[in-house]
């Protein structure tokens, strides 16, 4: 007998900007990601002023799902997916972000995609904003520094909630809303919020100002959504990278306790509907003036989320008396005291592989928030080799198997309320942090390289057949 409920949703996860391509098709406007060049592990992606002719922008073509969605959805169906998490490119609906009327052609594109999914019994699970806000809002308004952008976001949310109210039930407002807490790497504030820092900025103060406007935008969207369809389930979406104390030294314990607020700040507000006291205390002590408007308390209180969707790839560690920063781990979050975990291995991109940490993560989040959880991203970015049109990706199967086992333990042994599991990059796509194609997560291979060469042909990896079995047996047959 399966240890998971019958209703458990098995799926795959993607984001419009990383796989759709068609960046200038159907009236789409430029988004913040459309001006990001390709990079590599250790080589940052560049954010250019506009699209420059001699630069390569991997997201412009993605894997060309825009023109191939029927074939790709047929493959998802064959794999057995019950749901697909993806996002709506804001710039297909509002090319500049501040128009009053939406772009009908963009709305039709998602009608076609969602209809095709539904006809194949795949439930669309939709993120409203996944690193793809209109470039115009970033450049002309200063992104979410500007409160007006929250209103533009709310209009976008209203339009798509209305349009797809009978096609989509599960929504998330902002993807990984908390990963911009790391202001040491400019790509996070840029992609989350369309914000660039100036020399005169106090990065932390800017961050909390931006955060406030975004929390307001998220809460407004939740309220609008519920008024359009009370059956909507609207969630927060966070990157959850647990921060472990290096030792049982009380100072390490406290260091980790405080550092973890970086992870919890956004969901604390989105689930509870008010700011946590550690944050208000900090604003007071540091003299931060967050642009709070009359009625904001009410907006936050009335716009709380129904569940938490989260990504889980890795964990990290802090040690109170370490001065080093682990620079090969993008998610040390700029933590000054992060150190490597001596007990676990890392991927070729320096991401710590910690399946047991997923059971821990599910327990921590469930005990803290008492709302249903949804693992909406988890996966292994690796280099794949094609031999005779086959890809033997045992390493990926191992990674996914161990994480699924941990999730099942959290449900079966600990009683965590888990909605489902959607592995990241179910088909190979452009990597977010590096812009590479060779950092592959897919269970379906796509013939395309870091320079944009390749036929775009799709091939099923070994993991494709493995996951098919997992879904068929509701997680009973993990193929050991
Ligand atoms: P790539 C950090 C920690 C956990 C998830 O990343 C993260 C990040 C980066 O902010 O991002 C998510 O492609 C994100 C996806 C992204 C995926 O992780 O760089 O939601 O868009 O593709 C994997 O390997």
């Amino acid at each position: 007998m399966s240890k998971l409920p019958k209703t458990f949703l098995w799926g795959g996860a993607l984001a419009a900007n990383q796989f759709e391509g068609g960046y200038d098709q159907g009236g789409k406007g430029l988004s913040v990601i459309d001006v990001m060049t390709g990079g590599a592990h250790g080589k940052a992606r560049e954010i250019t002023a506009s699209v420059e002719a001699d630069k390569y922008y991997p997201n412009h073509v993605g894997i060309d799902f825009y023109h191939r969605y029927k074939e790709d959805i047929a493959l998802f169906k064959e794999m057995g997916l019950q749901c697909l998490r993806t996002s709506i490119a804001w710039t297909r609906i509002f090319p500049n972000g501040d128009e009053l009327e939406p772009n009908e052609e963009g709305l039709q594109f998602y009608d076609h995609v969602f209809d095709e999914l539904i006809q194949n019994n795949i439930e669309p699970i939709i993120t409203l904003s996944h690193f793809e806000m209109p470039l115009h809002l970033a450049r002309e308004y200063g992104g979410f520094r500007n409160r007006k952008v929250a209103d533009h976001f709310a209009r976008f949310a209203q339009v798509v909630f209305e349009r797809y109210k009978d096609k989509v039930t599960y929504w998330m407002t902002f993807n990984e809303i908390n990963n911009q807490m790391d202001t040491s790497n400019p790509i996070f504030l840029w992609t989350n919020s369309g914000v660039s820092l100036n020399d005169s900025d106090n990065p932390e103060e800017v961050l909390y100002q931006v955060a406030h406007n975004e929390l307001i935008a998220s809460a407004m969207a939740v309220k609008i959504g519920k008024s359009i369809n009370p059956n909507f389930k609207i969630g927060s979406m966070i990157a959850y990278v647990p921060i472990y104390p290096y030792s049982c030294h009380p100072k390490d314990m406290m260091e980790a306790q405080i550092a973890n607020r970086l992870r919890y700040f956004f969901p604390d507000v989105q689930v509870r509907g008010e700011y946590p006291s550690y944050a208000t205390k900090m604003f007071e002590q540091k003299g931060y003036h967050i642009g709070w408007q009359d009625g904001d308390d009410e907006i936050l209180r009335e716009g709380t989320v129904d569940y938490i969707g989260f990504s889980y790839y890795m964990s990290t560690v802090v040690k109170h008396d370490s001065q080093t920063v682990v620079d090969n781990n993008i998610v040390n979050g700029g933590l000054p005291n992060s150190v490597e975990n001596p007990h676990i291995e890392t991927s070729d991109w320096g991401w710590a592989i910690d399946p047991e940490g997923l059971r821990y993560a599910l327990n921590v989040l469930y005990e803290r928030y008492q709302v249903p959880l949804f693992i909406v991203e988890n996966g292994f970015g690796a280099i794949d080799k094609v031999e005779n049109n086959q890809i033997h990706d045992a390493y990926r199967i191992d990674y996914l198997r161990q994480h699924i086992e941990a999730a099942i333990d959290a449900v079966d042994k600990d009683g965590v309320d888990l909605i489902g599991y959607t592995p990241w990059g179910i088909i190979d796509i452009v990597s977010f942090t590096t812009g590479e194609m060779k950092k592959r997560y897919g269970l379906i291979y796509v013939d395309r390289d870091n320079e944009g060469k390749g036929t775009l042909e799709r091939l099923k990896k070994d993991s494709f057949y493995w996951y098919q079995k997992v879904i068929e047996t509701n997680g009973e047959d993990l193929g050991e």
Side-chain angles (χ1 to χ4, degrees), residues 9-14 65 73 76 81-88 110-127 164-172 232-233 307 374 376 422:
L9 279 174
W10 295 96
L14 297 162
F65 175 83
I73 291 172
F76 299 157
L81 301 193
Q82 298 159 343
C83 67
L84 182 76
R85 170 185 177 231
T86 183
S87 60
I88 293 177
Y110 292 105
D111 274 324
H112 296 322
V113 171
F114 297 167
D115 289 345
E116 190 72 20
L117 287 169
I118 291 164
Q119 276 160 26
N120 285 286
N121 292 318
I122 302 173
E123 179 173 349
I125 299 205
I126 300 303
T127 315
Y164 309 119
K165 63 175 182 293
D166 301 322
K167 298 182 184 179
V168 178
T169 303
Y170 283 99
W171 301 86
M172 279 162 271
F232 277 171
K233 303 273 181 244
Y307 70 99
F374 201 157
V376 295
T422 60

Side-chain angles (χ1 to χ4, degrees), residues 312-384:
Y312 179 85
Y313 293 89
M314 61 193 131
S315 55
T316 185
V317 181
V318 289
K319 185 168 185 294
H320 75 280
D321 55 356
S322 153
Q323 294 309 313
T324 55
V325 175
V326 183
D327 62 3
N328 65 350
N329 182 347
I330 189 138
V331 284
N332 64 53
L335 293 170
N337 291 327
S338 58
V339 291
E340 267 179 59
N341 187 330
H343 307 289
I344 53 186
E345 311 267 292
T346 60
S347 81
D348 291 343
W349 277 264
W351 293 26
I353 304 168
D354 180 13
E356 279 182 82
L358 178 55
R359 179 175 173 190
Y360 171 77
L362 284 159
N363 275 280
V364 169
L365 291 175
Y366 194 58
E367 287 177 12
R368 188 174 180 107
Y369 296 116
Q370 296 284 296
V371 294
L373 303 175
F374 201 157
I375 303 166
V376 295
E377 280 185 38
N378 171 239
F380 192 57
I383 295 170
D384 289 330

Side-chain angles (χ1 to χ4, degrees), residues 424-465:
W424 177 249
I426 197 73
I427 179 168
D428 291 345
I429 55 175
V430 176
S431 152
F432 160 56
T433 49
T434 68
E436 293 169 293
M437 271 306 295
K438 78 168 191 201
K439 188 181 187 189
R440 297 174 183 276
Y441 287 85
L443 281 53
I444 300 168
Y445 185 88
V446 177
D447 181 22
R448 190 167 174 85
D449 68 14
N450 284 358
E451 284 79 46
K453 292 197 279 294
T455 61
L456 286 165
E457 188 198 352
R458 277 59 167 154
L459 293 172
K460 296 168 215 164
K461 303 183 194 178
D462 287 357
S463 53
F464 178 100
Y465 300 102

Side-chain angles (χ1 to χ4, degrees), residues 253-301:
M253 295 299 293
M254 203 56 213
E255 181 84 20
Q257 176 72 19
I258 291 172
N260 272 300
R261 293 173 186 162
L262 296 172
R263 307 291 186 250
Y264 300 134
F265 169 72
F266 284 94
D268 278 354
V269 181
Q270 290 176 304
V271 175
R272 299 172 181 154
E274 59 183 21
Y275 274 63
S277 52
Y278 63 78
T280 44
K281 196 77 191 171
M282 190 251 293
F283 299 157
E284 196 185 294
Q285 282 169 350
K286 295 190 172 172
Y288 290 168
H289 298 289
I290 308 300
W292 196 275
Q293 296 183 5
D294 282 351
D296 280 2
D297 299 82
E298 213 179 326
I299 295 174
L300 293 178
R301 224 179 12 252

